[in-house]
Structure formats: structure tokens, C-alpha cells
Amino acid sequence: QFEREIISERTREKMGAARKKGKWVGGMVPLGYDSDKVNHKLVINQQEAEIVRKIFDLYLDKGSSLSVAMALNEIGYTTKIHVGSGGKKIGGIKFTSSGVQLFIKNVSYTGKVNYRGQIYQGEHERIVSDEIFQKAQEILADNRQERRVAVTSNNKGLLNNILHCKDCN
């Protein structure tokens, strides 16, 4: 058990160090990129990169993730298809509002890597400029609505204290 914990800790540290250097250490490859398995880098997929640019352009134009998702679905675009090790396909579905928000928040499109809340310069090329990304973040922040905590009410129901159970009163 101790050996397993030591090995997993060293693996996490090594992956963290690689992320800090801007390397791609695996996981789901974002839309707009392909994985270069030899050099362990993200390489731009030009057809998908156009979709990513369109997502950002539509978001800057419309200012709504739902409107962007609806526009992309009308065009006929779908999410990236990932093929798992067992051959199972994941993705290839219609865009959703929350999915568009995840695209807008993803710093990978600016050529950077996010590791534990810190942003590091990545080894991969950018698809979106920093200016466009920052404008999209500002719109996203302006659209965010704070959720209020529901206040418990003393009034539990319309007929409270009027109707009573015959058996238990």
C-alpha cells in the first residue's frame, strides 16, 4: 500500500512538472486540436479550429451561450468525437449552452495550460487571440447571475392551520 502511494505521488508530481512546462499530459483532446502521440503535443486540426473560432465569434456577436449553441446546431456542427481504448465513441452530439461556456472558459485555445488554477504558457499553438478570449471572459462575467439562497418561510402552505387530520388532529 505504501509503495502504491509513493508511486502515485511521484506520478502526480511528474505530471504537474510537465504541465508547468506547458506540456500536454493527456486526457480528452479539446475541439480544434489533435494529439501528436510521438511528440506528446497538441497539433491544430484546421477544420475543427474553424469551429472554435466560429464559437468565439458568435459568442462575441450574440453574447449568449444558448444563442451560440442554437446557431451551431442549426448549421449542423457537433462536438468532437473521442474514441476510447475499447473502441467506444464519446461525443458527436449537439452543442449545449453549458458546453459552449466550457469552450469559452478553456485557456487551451490561447496556447496556454491550466494547472491547479495557475496558467502556464503551453507548447501548442493558439487558435484564439488573447484579446478575443479576454472579451469573451468579460461577457461571460457580465452574464453570470448570482444565485440567492432560498429563505425559509414561516408560511408552510395555503391551508396550514385550517385543515386538520381527523385521526391525529
Side-chain angles (χ1 to χ4, degrees):
Q1 177 66 29
F2 179 71
E3 282 295 322
R4 280 194 299 250
E5 289 175 9
I6 294 293
I7 290 169
S8 65
E9 184 178 331
R10 286 183 182 155
T11 303
R12 275 193 302 274
E13 288 174 0
K14 184 177 179 182
M15 289 177 75
R19 279 269 172 111
K20 289 177 182 178
K21 291 179 183 176
K23 294 187 182 294
W24 177 254
V25 293
M28 294 275 224
V29 178
L31 181 73
Y33 291 102
D34 288 328
S35 177
D36 180 1
K37 301 201 187 291
V38 175
N39 298 320
H40 302 289
K41 288 185 179 183
L42 292 178
V43 180
I44 292 180
N45 177 326
Q46 292 301 332
Q47 291 175 326
E48 292 179 0
E50 287 304 315
I51 298 171
V52 172
R53 289 185 193 102
K54 186 152 192 89
I55 290 171
F56 277 89
D57 290 344
L58 285 169
Y59 191 73
L60 293 180
D61 182 46
K62 297 180 181 288
S64 164
S65 56
L66 180 61
S67 299
V68 172
M70 290 170 57
L72 293 170
N73 292 334
E74 283 178 18
I75 296 170
Y77 291 138
T78 59
T79 59
K80 185 177 185 91
I81 297 174
H82 300 278
V83 180
S85 58
K88 183 178 178 184
K89 292 184 180 180
I90 303 168
I93 59 173
K94 291 184 176 184
F95 284 92
T96 62
S97 174
S98 57
V100 169
Q101 287 180 11
L102 290 175
F103 282 106
I104 300 298
K105 292 178 186 177
N106 192 346
V107 295
S108 295
Y109 296 125
T110 61
K112 297 181 178 142
V113 175
N114 184 357
Y115 177 67
R116 294 192 177 185
Q118 294 288 102
I119 307 297
Y120 300 97
Q121 186 60 45
E123 292 182 340
H124 57 279
E125 292 182 49
R126 71 175 58 236
I127 294 176
V128 177
S129 71
D130 286 332
E131 296 81 27
I132 291 174
F133 186 79
Q134 192 58 40
K135 285 178 188 175
Q137 299 313 301
E138 290 169 8
I139 293 171
L140 197 62
D142 288 344
N143 289 347
R144 183 165 177 79
Q145 294 182 3
E146 294 296 322
R147 304 282 186 233
R148 294 187 312 186
V149 177
V151 179
T152 54
S153 167
N154 291 335
N155 185 7
K156 292 186 172 79
L158 185 63
L159 299 175
N160 196 29
N161 296 328
I162 297 174
L163 295 178
H164 298 281
C165 175
K166 188 175 184 181
D167 294 328
C168 65
N169 197 19

Short mmCIF file of all heavy atoms in Angstrom, two decimals, residues 25-74:
data_model
loop_
_atom_site.label_atom_id
_atom_site.label_comp_id
_atom_site.label_asym_id
_atom_site.label_seq_id
_atom_site.Cartn_x
_atom_site.Cartn_y
_atom_site.Cartn_z
N VAL A 25 -0.30 16.47 -21.14
CA VAL A 25 -0.03 15.20 -20.45
C VAL A 25 -1.16 14.19 -20.63
O VAL A 25 -1.17 13.16 -19.98
CB VAL A 25 0.24 15.42 -18.95
CG1 VAL A 25 1.53 16.16 -18.75
CG2 VAL A 25 -0.92 16.13 -18.28
N GLY A 26 -2.08 14.48 -21.52
CA GLY A 26 -3.12 13.51 -21.82
C GLY A 26 -4.50 13.99 -21.41
O GLY A 26 -4.68 15.11 -20.95
N GLY A 27 -5.46 13.12 -21.59
CA GLY A 27 -6.84 13.47 -21.32
C GLY A 27 -7.59 13.67 -22.63
O GLY A 27 -7.09 13.37 -23.71
N MET A 28 -8.80 14.19 -22.51
CA MET A 28 -9.61 14.46 -23.69
C MET A 28 -9.02 15.62 -24.48
O MET A 28 -8.80 16.69 -23.93
CB MET A 28 -11.04 14.81 -23.28
CG MET A 28 -11.76 13.67 -22.63
SD MET A 28 -12.48 12.61 -23.84
CE MET A 28 -14.06 12.35 -23.10
N VAL A 29 -8.75 15.38 -25.73
CA VAL A 29 -8.18 16.42 -26.59
C VAL A 29 -9.29 17.41 -26.93
O VAL A 29 -10.37 17.03 -27.37
CB VAL A 29 -7.60 15.81 -27.88
CG1 VAL A 29 -7.05 16.88 -28.80
CG2 VAL A 29 -6.53 14.79 -27.54
N PRO A 30 -9.06 18.72 -26.70
CA PRO A 30 -10.10 19.71 -26.97
C PRO A 30 -10.42 19.83 -28.46
O PRO A 30 -9.56 19.56 -29.31
CB PRO A 30 -9.53 21.01 -26.44
CG PRO A 30 -8.23 20.71 -25.82
CD PRO A 30 -7.86 19.31 -26.15
N LEU A 31 -11.65 20.25 -28.74
CA LEU A 31 -12.05 20.53 -30.11
C LEU A 31 -11.08 21.55 -30.69
O LEU A 31 -10.74 22.53 -30.04
CB LEU A 31 -13.48 21.09 -30.13
CG LEU A 31 -14.06 21.42 -31.49
CD1 LEU A 31 -14.40 20.14 -32.24
CD2 LEU A 31 -15.31 22.27 -31.35
N GLY A 32 -10.63 21.32 -31.91
CA GLY A 32 -9.70 22.23 -32.55
C GLY A 32 -8.27 21.70 -32.57
O GLY A 32 -7.41 22.24 -33.25
N TYR A 33 -8.04 20.64 -31.80
CA TYR A 33 -6.70 20.07 -31.71
C TYR A 33 -6.75 18.56 -31.96
O TYR A 33 -7.77 17.92 -31.77
CB TYR A 33 -6.08 20.29 -30.33
CG TYR A 33 -5.75 21.74 -30.03
CD1 TYR A 33 -6.57 22.51 -29.22
CD2 TYR A 33 -4.60 22.32 -30.56
CE1 TYR A 33 -6.26 23.82 -28.95
CE2 TYR A 33 -4.28 23.64 -30.29
CZ TYR A 33 -5.12 24.39 -29.48
OH TYR A 33 -4.81 25.69 -29.21
N ASP A 34 -5.61 18.03 -32.36
CA ASP A 34 -5.38 16.59 -32.42
C ASP A 34 -4.14 16.33 -31.57
O ASP A 34 -3.31 17.22 -31.35
CB ASP A 34 -5.13 16.12 -33.85
CG ASP A 34 -6.39 16.13 -34.70
OD1 ASP A 34 -7.49 15.90 -34.14
OD2 ASP A 34 -6.28 16.36 -35.92
N SER A 35 -4.01 15.11 -31.11
CA SER A 35 -2.87 14.73 -30.28
C SER A 35 -1.78 14.14 -31.14
O SER A 35 -2.00 13.18 -31.88
CB SER A 35 -3.32 13.73 -29.22
OG SER A 35 -2.23 13.31 -28.45
N ASP A 36 -0.58 14.72 -31.05
CA ASP A 36 0.60 14.16 -31.70
C ASP A 36 1.21 13.18 -30.71
O ASP A 36 1.86 13.57 -29.74
CB ASP A 36 1.59 15.28 -32.05
CG ASP A 36 2.84 14.76 -32.73
OD1 ASP A 36 2.95 13.53 -32.95
OD2 ASP A 36 3.72 15.59 -33.04
N LYS A 37 0.98 11.89 -30.94
CA LYS A 37 1.38 10.87 -29.99
C LYS A 37 2.89 10.68 -29.91
O LYS A 37 3.41 10.20 -28.92
CB LYS A 37 0.68 9.56 -30.31
CG LYS A 37 -0.82 9.69 -30.28
CD LYS A 37 -1.48 8.36 -30.10
CE LYS A 37 -2.98 8.45 -30.24
NZ LYS A 37 -3.66 9.15 -29.23
N VAL A 38 3.62 11.08 -30.96
CA VAL A 38 5.07 10.94 -30.96
C VAL A 38 5.72 12.01 -30.09
O VAL A 38 6.54 11.73 -29.22
CB VAL A 38 5.63 11.00 -32.41
CG1 VAL A 38 7.14 10.97 -32.41
CG2 VAL A 38 5.05 9.88 -33.24
N ASN A 39 5.33 13.27 -30.31
CA ASN A 39 5.93 14.40 -29.59
C ASN A 39 5.15 14.80 -28.34
O ASN A 39 5.56 15.72 -27.64
CB ASN A 39 6.07 15.60 -30.52
CG ASN A 39 6.98 15.30 -31.68
OD1 ASN A 39 7.99 14.64 -31.53
ND2 ASN A 39 6.60 15.76 -32.87
N HIS A 40 4.02 14.15 -28.09
CA HIS A 40 3.16 14.45 -26.94
C HIS A 40 2.78 15.93 -26.90
O HIS A 40 2.96 16.61 -25.90
CB HIS A 40 3.85 14.04 -25.63
CG HIS A 40 4.22 12.59 -25.61
ND1 HIS A 40 3.28 11.59 -25.51
CD2 HIS A 40 5.42 11.98 -25.68
CE1 HIS A 40 3.89 10.41 -25.52
NE2 HIS A 40 5.19 10.61 -25.64
N LYS A 41 2.28 16.41 -28.03
CA LYS A 41 1.85 17.79 -28.15
C LYS A 41 0.47 17.84 -28.76
O LYS A 41 0.02 16.89 -29.39
CB LYS A 41 2.80 18.59 -29.06
CG LYS A 41 4.14 18.89 -28.47
CD LYS A 41 4.92 19.76 -29.42
CE LYS A 41 6.27 20.12 -28.87
NZ LYS A 41 7.01 21.02 -29.74
N LEU A 42 -0.18 18.98 -28.59
CA LEU A 42 -1.43 19.24 -29.29
C LEU A 42 -1.09 19.92 -30.61
O LEU A 42 -0.29 20.85 -30.65
CB LEU A 42 -2.33 20.15 -28.46
CG LEU A 42 -2.89 19.55 -27.17
CD1 LEU A 42 -3.72 20.58 -26.43
CD2 LEU A 42 -3.72 18.32 -27.46
N VAL A 43 -1.70 19.44 -31.69
CA VAL A 43 -1.49 19.99 -33.02
C VAL A 43 -2.84 20.48 -33.52
O VAL A 43 -3.86 19.82 -33.34
CB VAL A 43 -0.93 18.90 -33.97
CG1 VAL A 43 -0.72 19.47 -35.36
CG2 VAL A 43 0.34 18.32 -33.41
N ILE A 44 -2.84 21.66 -34.13
CA ILE A 44 -4.10 22.25 -34.59
C ILE A 44 -4.71 21.41 -35.71
O ILE A 44 -4.05 21.06 -36.67
CB ILE A 44 -3.89 23.70 -35.06
CG1 ILE A 44 -3.54 24.59 -33.87
CG2 ILE A 44 -5.12 24.23 -35.76
CD1 ILE A 44 -3.32 26.03 -34.22
N ASN A 45 -6.01 21.11 -35.56
CA ASN A 45 -6.82 20.49 -36.60
C ASN A 45 -7.57 21.65 -37.27
O ASN A 45 -8.47 22.24 -36.66
CB ASN A 45 -7.79 19.48 -35.97
CG ASN A 45 -8.71 18.83 -36.96
OD1 ASN A 45 -9.13 19.44 -37.93
ND2 ASN A 45 -9.04 17.59 -36.69
N GLN A 46 -7.19 22.00 -38.49
CA GLN A 46 -7.69 23.22 -39.13
C GLN A 46 -9.21 23.25 -39.26
O GLN A 46 -9.83 24.30 -39.05
CB GLN A 46 -7.03 23.42 -40.50
CG GLN A 46 -5.56 23.74 -40.43
CD GLN A 46 -5.26 25.01 -39.64
OE1 GLN A 46 -6.06 25.94 -39.57
NE2 GLN A 46 -4.10 25.04 -39.01
N GLN A 47 -9.84 22.12 -39.60
CA GLN A 47 -11.31 22.10 -39.74
C GLN A 47 -11.98 22.37 -38.40
O GLN A 47 -12.92 23.16 -38.32
CB GLN A 47 -11.77 20.76 -40.29
CG GLN A 47 -11.38 20.53 -41.73
CD GLN A 47 -11.76 19.13 -42.20
OE1 GLN A 47 -11.73 18.18 -41.44
NE2 GLN A 47 -12.13 19.04 -43.47
N GLU A 48 -11.50 21.73 -37.35
CA GLU A 48 -12.09 21.94 -36.03
C GLU A 48 -11.75 23.32 -35.49
O GLU A 48 -12.55 23.92 -34.76
CB GLU A 48 -11.61 20.86 -35.05
CG GLU A 48 -12.13 19.48 -35.38
CD GLU A 48 -11.62 18.43 -34.40
OE1 GLU A 48 -10.86 18.77 -33.47
OE2 GLU A 48 -11.99 17.25 -34.58
N ALA A 49 -10.57 23.83 -35.82
CA ALA A 49 -10.17 25.16 -35.35
C ALA A 49 -11.12 26.23 -35.89
O ALA A 49 -11.42 27.21 -35.20
CB ALA A 49 -8.73 25.46 -35.77
N GLU A 50 -11.62 26.03 -37.11
CA GLU A 50 -12.60 26.97 -37.67
C GLU A 50 -13.89 26.98 -36.83
O GLU A 50 -14.50 28.02 -36.64
CB GLU A 50 -12.90 26.64 -39.13
CG GLU A 50 -11.79 26.99 -40.08
CD GLU A 50 -11.38 28.45 -40.00
OE1 GLU A 50 -12.28 29.33 -39.97
OE2 GLU A 50 -10.17 28.72 -39.96
N ILE A 51 -14.29 25.82 -36.35
CA ILE A 51 -15.48 25.73 -35.50
C ILE A 51 -15.24 26.48 -34.19
O ILE A 51 -16.10 27.23 -33.72
CB ILE A 51 -15.87 24.26 -35.22
CG1 ILE A 51 -16.22 23.55 -36.52
CG2 ILE A 51 -17.03 24.18 -34.24
CD1 ILE A 51 -16.42 22.05 -36.38
N VAL A 52 -14.04 26.32 -33.62
CA VAL A 52 -13.70 27.01 -32.36
C VAL A 52 -13.73 28.52 -32.58
O VAL A 52 -14.30 29.26 -31.77
CB VAL A 52 -12.33 26.56 -31.84
CG1 VAL A 52 -11.89 27.40 -30.66
CG2 VAL A 52 -12.36 25.09 -31.44
N ARG A 53 -13.13 28.98 -33.67
CA ARG A 53 -13.15 30.42 -33.97
C ARG A 53 -14.58 30.92 -34.15
O ARG A 53 -14.94 32.01 -33.71
CB ARG A 53 -12.30 30.71 -35.21
CG ARG A 53 -10.83 30.55 -34.97
CD ARG A 53 -10.00 30.96 -36.20
NE ARG A 53 -8.63 30.51 -36.05
CZ ARG A 53 -8.12 29.44 -36.65
NH1 ARG A 53 -8.84 28.72 -37.47
NH2 ARG A 53 -6.86 29.10 -36.44
N LYS A 54 -15.40 30.09 -34.80
CA LYS A 54 -16.80 30.45 -35.01
C LYS A 54 -17.53 30.56 -33.67
O LYS A 54 -18.36 31.45 -33.47
CB LYS A 54 -17.48 29.44 -35.92
CG LYS A 54 -18.89 29.82 -36.31
CD LYS A 54 -19.21 29.22 -37.65
CE LYS A 54 -20.47 29.79 -38.22
NZ LYS A 54 -20.26 30.99 -39.01
N ILE A 55 -17.23 29.64 -32.74
CA ILE A 55 -17.85 29.69 -31.41
C ILE A 55 -17.53 31.02 -30.73
O ILE A 55 -18.43 31.70 -30.22
CB ILE A 55 -17.38 28.51 -30.53
CG1 ILE A 55 -17.96 27.19 -31.05
CG2 ILE A 55 -17.75 28.72 -29.07
CD1 ILE A 55 -17.40 25.95 -30.40
N PHE A 56 -16.27 31.42 -30.75
CA PHE A 56 -15.87 32.67 -30.11
C PHE A 56 -16.48 33.87 -30.83
O PHE A 56 -16.96 34.81 -30.19
CB PHE A 56 -14.35 32.79 -30.03
CG PHE A 56 -13.77 32.07 -28.84
CD1 PHE A 56 -13.42 30.74 -28.93
CD2 PHE A 56 -13.59 32.73 -27.63
CE1 PHE A 56 -12.89 30.08 -27.83
CE2 PHE A 56 -13.07 32.08 -26.53
CZ PHE A 56 -12.72 30.74 -26.63
N ASP A 57 -16.47 33.86 -32.17
CA ASP A 57 -17.05 34.98 -32.93
C ASP A 57 -18.55 35.11 -32.65
O ASP A 57 -19.05 36.21 -32.44
CB ASP A 57 -16.82 34.79 -34.43
CG ASP A 57 -15.36 34.97 -34.82
OD1 ASP A 57 -14.59 35.54 -34.01
OD2 ASP A 57 -14.98 34.52 -35.93
N LEU A 58 -19.25 33.98 -32.66
CA LEU A 58 -20.69 34.02 -32.38
C LEU A 58 -20.95 34.50 -30.96
O LEU A 58 -21.90 35.25 -30.71
CB LEU A 58 -21.31 32.63 -32.57
CG LEU A 58 -21.53 32.17 -34.00
CD1 LEU A 58 -21.90 30.68 -34.04
CD2 LEU A 58 -22.62 33.00 -34.67
N TYR A 59 -20.11 34.08 -30.01
CA TYR A 59 -20.32 34.49 -28.62
C TYR A 59 -20.08 35.99 -28.46
O TYR A 59 -20.83 36.67 -27.76
CB TYR A 59 -19.41 33.70 -27.68
CG TYR A 59 -19.78 33.91 -26.24
CD1 TYR A 59 -20.93 33.32 -25.70
CD2 TYR A 59 -19.02 34.70 -25.40
CE1 TYR A 59 -21.29 33.51 -24.39
CE2 TYR A 59 -19.37 34.90 -24.08
CZ TYR A 59 -20.50 34.30 -23.58
OH TYR A 59 -20.87 34.51 -22.27
N LEU A 60 -19.07 36.52 -29.13
CA LEU A 60 -18.83 37.96 -29.06
C LEU A 60 -19.96 38.73 -29.73
O LEU A 60 -20.32 39.83 -29.29
CB LEU A 60 -17.49 38.32 -29.71
CG LEU A 60 -16.24 37.82 -29.00
CD1 LEU A 60 -14.99 38.25 -29.77
CD2 LEU A 60 -16.17 38.30 -27.57
N ASP A 61 -20.54 38.15 -30.78
CA ASP A 61 -21.62 38.80 -31.50
C ASP A 61 -22.94 38.71 -30.74
O ASP A 61 -23.63 39.70 -30.55
CB ASP A 61 -21.77 38.16 -32.89
CG ASP A 61 -22.85 38.82 -33.71
OD1 ASP A 61 -22.89 40.07 -33.75
OD2 ASP A 61 -23.67 38.09 -34.32
N LYS A 62 -23.30 37.52 -30.27
CA LYS A 62 -24.60 37.30 -29.65
C LYS A 62 -24.60 37.53 -28.14
O LYS A 62 -25.61 37.90 -27.57
CB LYS A 62 -25.10 35.89 -29.95
CG LYS A 62 -25.34 35.63 -31.43
CD LYS A 62 -25.82 34.23 -31.69
CE LYS A 62 -26.03 33.94 -33.15
NZ LYS A 62 -27.18 34.58 -33.73
N GLY A 63 -23.48 37.25 -27.49
CA GLY A 63 -23.38 37.46 -26.05
C GLY A 63 -24.16 36.46 -25.22
O GLY A 63 -24.41 36.69 -24.05
N SER A 64 -24.55 35.34 -25.81
CA SER A 64 -25.35 34.34 -25.11
C SER A 64 -24.89 32.95 -25.53
O SER A 64 -24.84 32.65 -26.72
CB SER A 64 -26.83 34.53 -25.45
OG SER A 64 -27.57 33.39 -25.10
N SER A 65 -24.60 32.11 -24.54
CA SER A 65 -24.15 30.76 -24.87
C SER A 65 -25.28 29.92 -25.46
O SER A 65 -25.04 29.07 -26.31
CB SER A 65 -23.56 30.08 -23.63
OG SER A 65 -24.48 30.06 -22.59
N LEU A 66 -26.52 30.18 -25.03
CA LEU A 66 -27.65 29.45 -25.60
C LEU A 66 -27.84 29.81 -27.07
O LEU A 66 -28.06 28.92 -27.90
CB LEU A 66 -28.93 29.75 -24.80
CG LEU A 66 -30.19 29.06 -25.29
CD1 LEU A 66 -30.04 27.54 -25.23
CD2 LEU A 66 -31.39 29.50 -24.47
N SER A 67 -27.73 31.08 -27.40
CA SER A 67 -27.86 31.50 -28.81
C SER A 67 -26.76 30.89 -29.67
O SER A 67 -27.00 30.49 -30.81
CB SER A 67 -27.80 33.03 -28.91
OG SER A 67 -28.84 33.62 -28.19
N VAL A 68 -25.55 30.82 -29.12
CA VAL A 68 -24.43 30.23 -29.86
C VAL A 68 -24.69 28.74 -30.10
O VAL A 68 -24.50 28.24 -31.20
CB VAL A 68 -23.10 30.44 -29.10
CG1 VAL A 68 -21.97 29.67 -29.76
CG2 VAL A 68 -22.76 31.92 -29.04
N ALA A 69 -25.13 28.04 -29.05
CA ALA A 69 -25.42 26.60 -29.17
C ALA A 69 -26.50 26.36 -30.23
O ALA A 69 -26.37 25.46 -31.06
CB ALA A 69 -25.84 26.02 -27.82
N MET A 70 -27.55 27.17 -30.20
CA MET A 70 -28.63 27.01 -31.18
C MET A 70 -28.13 27.27 -32.60
O MET A 70 -28.48 26.55 -33.53
CB MET A 70 -29.79 27.93 -30.82
CG MET A 70 -30.51 27.48 -29.56
SD MET A 70 -31.71 28.67 -28.92
CE MET A 70 -32.79 28.91 -30.28
N ALA A 71 -27.29 28.30 -32.77
CA ALA A 71 -26.75 28.64 -34.09
C ALA A 71 -25.85 27.51 -34.61
O ALA A 71 -25.94 27.14 -35.79
CB ALA A 71 -25.98 29.95 -34.03
N LEU A 72 -25.00 26.97 -33.74
CA LEU A 72 -24.11 25.88 -34.15
C LEU A 72 -24.90 24.63 -34.53
O LEU A 72 -24.57 23.94 -35.49
CB LEU A 72 -23.13 25.54 -33.03
CG LEU A 72 -22.09 26.62 -32.70
CD1 LEU A 72 -21.35 26.27 -31.42
CD2 LEU A 72 -21.12 26.81 -33.85
N ASN A 73 -25.95 24.35 -33.77
CA ASN A 73 -26.79 23.18 -34.06
C ASN A 73 -27.56 23.35 -35.36
O ASN A 73 -27.77 22.38 -36.10
CB ASN A 73 -27.73 22.89 -32.89
CG ASN A 73 -26.97 22.42 -31.66
OD1 ASN A 73 -25.88 21.86 -31.76
ND2 ASN A 73 -27.53 22.67 -30.49
N GLU A 74 -27.99 24.59 -35.65
CA GLU A 74 -28.69 24.85 -36.92
C GLU A 74 -27.76 24.61 -38.11
O GLU A 74 -28.19 24.11 -39.14
CB GLU A 74 -29.22 26.28 -36.94
CG GLU A 74 -30.46 26.49 -36.10
CD GLU A 74 -30.92 27.94 -36.11
OE1 GLU A 74 -30.51 28.71 -37.01
OE2 GLU A 74 -31.69 28.29 -35.21
#
